[in-house]
Amino acid sequence: MIDGTPTTIFYPASPSAPTAPRPRWLGDPQLKALGRAQLGDKLGCECCGVCLMTCLGGCATGWLRLPAEEGLPALTPPDSHPDGWPVALFTHSLTGWAYHNSAHLLEICSHGAVVIALTHTDGTACTATDLETGKEIARYIDWETEKVPEIAAKHEGTYETSPAFKAEVHGWRHGQVDHRYQQMASVLAGANDALDRAGVTTSSDSDTNTPSRPASTFARVEREVAVLGMSFGGASATAFSKRDPLGRVAHLFLLDPWIDGKDEESMLPMTYEEFSKPFNPTLKTVVCWRNKGSALWGSCGPNCETLADKVKEMTGDSGSAVLHDLPEPHSHFAQTDVPSVFENGPLACVYSALFGGGETPAGQMSSREVLALSVEQTVECLEANGWFPPKQPVGVAAGAPPPVTKQPLATPAAMEQAKDEGMAGAGAAGEEEVRAPSSV
């Protein structure tokens, strides 16, 4: 926890450190919450959704665990980076959780970076749980079944017909963006202290190659931060990059972002005023994925083009703005772990019956290939900008499973091998064997 925000920090670990436990990709609190948030409507019964996910959800993932062991001694940042490892920050979607883009986060970490994954407590996560006590801090607020009746009790009409109704909806969503901004700022500010308190950056034991310099320089939180946002996270990532008074964000990755509307009357979840503002001049790149099979394609796609144009205009030849368009039928969550894990899990047939999918037609990319491609595109962009330190053997904070030679860490193929071994796999950065990231 950092300032009341459930937070996981992935960091490079010493390749020689002993093995340690690995967190589950989808824990029991998330299983129960996703059953309520995602399956209740489909099954016509919230209790049925909770029961199904609680009983079968873990099996459906193959009991997948992340390739990141917990609490290992950290690897000292190289001399080329005296202010610490570069930092990436992830902000999740509606009904999301900190790990639903773990393929991106752990691959970035394995190349030599600290990656911060937070769970928002604004009612957008499937559940926000204290990682130490297991106590639920915040639960998902469903728009149709909870928020609409709450607002309708105060205002006549509907979102479409009542200005007061619409104003309250917009105020609610804008308030969630504000809440996310504060959480993102606080976890960045507190990351080094959190690692220090966890005891992973304070030892100077030469055998484990842990840092001997101050923990405050372990993670480079003051500049050149990369921010990844999926869906609602795309809006909060964009807002953070524009609001941050320190101008820390240099690279912005938006995964099918939910930035809907074309004026102050219609834009959600961020305000049109903020959308229209220029980015901080420290921003160098924006990369946006748009999926033609997503419900957001028509309403949000043009806004992605607008953001890209703003970056191109601001940076000229010194920056870059890239739009990656994915053809149908790939949908909103195509760049997350979710389709890849469930479509290739032991209960893939049940997942396909509920959400579609199944066998990939000839000539079409599978969910694994789509995920792996977006991970590769993310890493290539950061490499092209010289964001990573020079290559060296690193471990993504913890444990040393058998290396998967020349295979990116935590990509769907690596995770599939991990299922067979009861863990989440390992990988390599370039030609060098790496260890899975560690986490606290």
Side-chain angles (χ1 to χ4, degrees), residues 338-407:
V338 175
S340 179
V341 170
F342 285 106
E343 289 179 14
N344 295 284
L347 300 181
C349 58
V350 177
Y351 179 81
S352 297
L354 290 169
F355 296 99
E359 186 174 345
T360 304
Q364 179 179 303
M365 286 192 297
S366 68
S367 58
R368 283 179 175 172
E369 291 170 329
V370 169
L371 175 59
L373 177 61
S374 64
V375 171
E376 180 182 347
Q377 290 166 333
T378 302
V379 171
E380 285 181 349
C381 176
L382 292 172
E383 286 182 326
N385 281 275
W387 192 75
F388 293 112
K391 286 191 183 294
Q392 60 178 314
V394 300
V396 184
V404 183
T405 306
K406 299 183 182 179
Q407 181 170 298

Side-chain angles (χ1 to χ4, degrees), residues 31-398:
L31 288 171
K32 180 179 179 180
L34 286 171
R36 181 177 70 88
Q38 294 283 4
L39 294 182
D41 288 343
K42 285 188 174 292
L43 299 178
C45 171
E46 184 178 296
C47 291
C48 293
V50 171
C51 182
L52 181 64
M53 280 298 286
T54 302
C55 295
L56 299 179
C59 179
T61 70
W63 303 107
L64 188 62
R65 291 184 177 272
L66 299 183
E69 295 174 47
E70 298 173 344
L72 292 186
L75 189 68
T76 306
D79 292 340
S80 61
H81 284 57
D83 51 356
W85 296 104
V87 170
L89 178 66
F90 174 66
T91 170
H92 60 72
S93 68
L94 288 174
T95 72
W97 69 103
Y99 301 158
H100 71 63
N101 272 81
S102 69
H104 290 80
L105 308 185
L106 297 179
E107 180 66 14
I108 291 171
C109 184
S110 74
H111 285 258
V114 170
V115 181
I116 304 170
L118 66 160
T119 300
H120 293 291
T121 58
D122 59 345
T124 58
C126 62
T127 181
T129 305
D130 188 316
L131 300 178
E132 295 182 1
T133 66
K135 181 181 179 181
E136 187 172 63
I137 301 169
R139 65 195 292 270
Y140 178 65
I141 301 173
D142 186 86
W143 161 247
E144 291 289 347
T145 63
E146 296 180 79
K147 202 64 185 180
V148 168
E150 176 190 320
I151 299 175
K154 295 185 285 184
H155 305 290
E156 294 184 359
T158 65
Y159 177 83
E160 290 77 15
T161 63
S162 168
F165 194 115
K166 176 179 282 191
E168 183 153 347
V169 172
H170 283 237
W172 172 51
R173 289 303 192 196
H174 298 164
Q176 288 177 315
V177 173
D178 293 341
H179 186 98
R180 283 170 166 241
Y181 168 79
Q182 294 295 336
Q183 288 190 302
M184 293 166 74
S186 68
V187 298
L188 263 185
N192 278 308
D193 285 344
L195 289 165
D196 191 19
R197 290 195 303 272
V200 299
T201 60
T202 55
S203 172
S204 59
D205 185 349
S206 60
D207 291 337
T208 55
N209 197 24
T210 51
S212 57
R213 59 180 170 179
S216 60
T217 61
F218 181 77
R220 189 183 68 197
V221 297
E222 299 298 333
R223 65 178 182 89
E224 297 282 320
V225 173
V227 180
L228 296 85
M230 194 272 149
S231 189
F232 196 125
S236 52
T238 301
F240 184 81
S241 69
K242 292 190 174 195
R243 288 189 198 184
D244 182 30
L246 301 178
R248 288 172 288 189
V249 180
H251 308 289
L252 191 59
F253 299 93
L254 308 177
L255 305 161
D256 205 36
W258 179 34
I259 304 176
D260 203 347
K262 58 185 179 180
D263 52 35
E264 192 59 53
E265 292 294 315
S266 59
M267 181 156 280
L268 287 173
M270 64 191 304
T271 66
Y272 183 73
E273 179 183 7
E274 185 158 57
F275 175 79
S276 302
K277 287 180 179 178
F279 284 101
N280 269 314
T282 53
L283 188 70
K284 297 179 180 179
T285 58
V286 61
V287 181
C288 182
W289 288 264
R290 304 183 297 181
N291 303 325
K292 290 187 177 180
S294 168
L296 304 185
W297 172 261
S299 59
C300 302
N303 290 332
C304 294
E305 295 176 9
T306 299
L307 291 176
D309 289 341
K310 287 179 180 292
V311 174
K312 290 177 182 177
E313 181 180 349
M314 179 182 73
T315 61
D317 294 335
S318 65
S320 64
V322 181
L323 298 176
H324 294 297
D325 290 341
L326 195 65
E328 293 183 301
H330 298 292
S331 62
H332 184 48
F333 291 97
Q335 286 82 28
T336 72
D337 301 350
V338 175
S340 179
V341 170
F342 285 106
E343 289 179 14
N344 295 284
L347 300 181
C349 58
V350 177
Y351 179 81
S352 297
L354 290 169
F355 296 99
E359 186 174 345
T360 304
Q364 179 179 303
M365 286 192 297
S366 68
S367 58
R368 283 179 175 172
E369 291 170 329
V370 169
L371 175 59
L373 177 61
S374 64
V375 171
E376 180 182 347
Q377 290 166 333
T378 302
V379 171
E380 285 181 349
C381 176
L382 292 172
E383 286 182 326
N385 281 275
W387 192 75
F388 293 112
K391 286 191 183 294
Q392 60 178 314
V394 300
V396 184

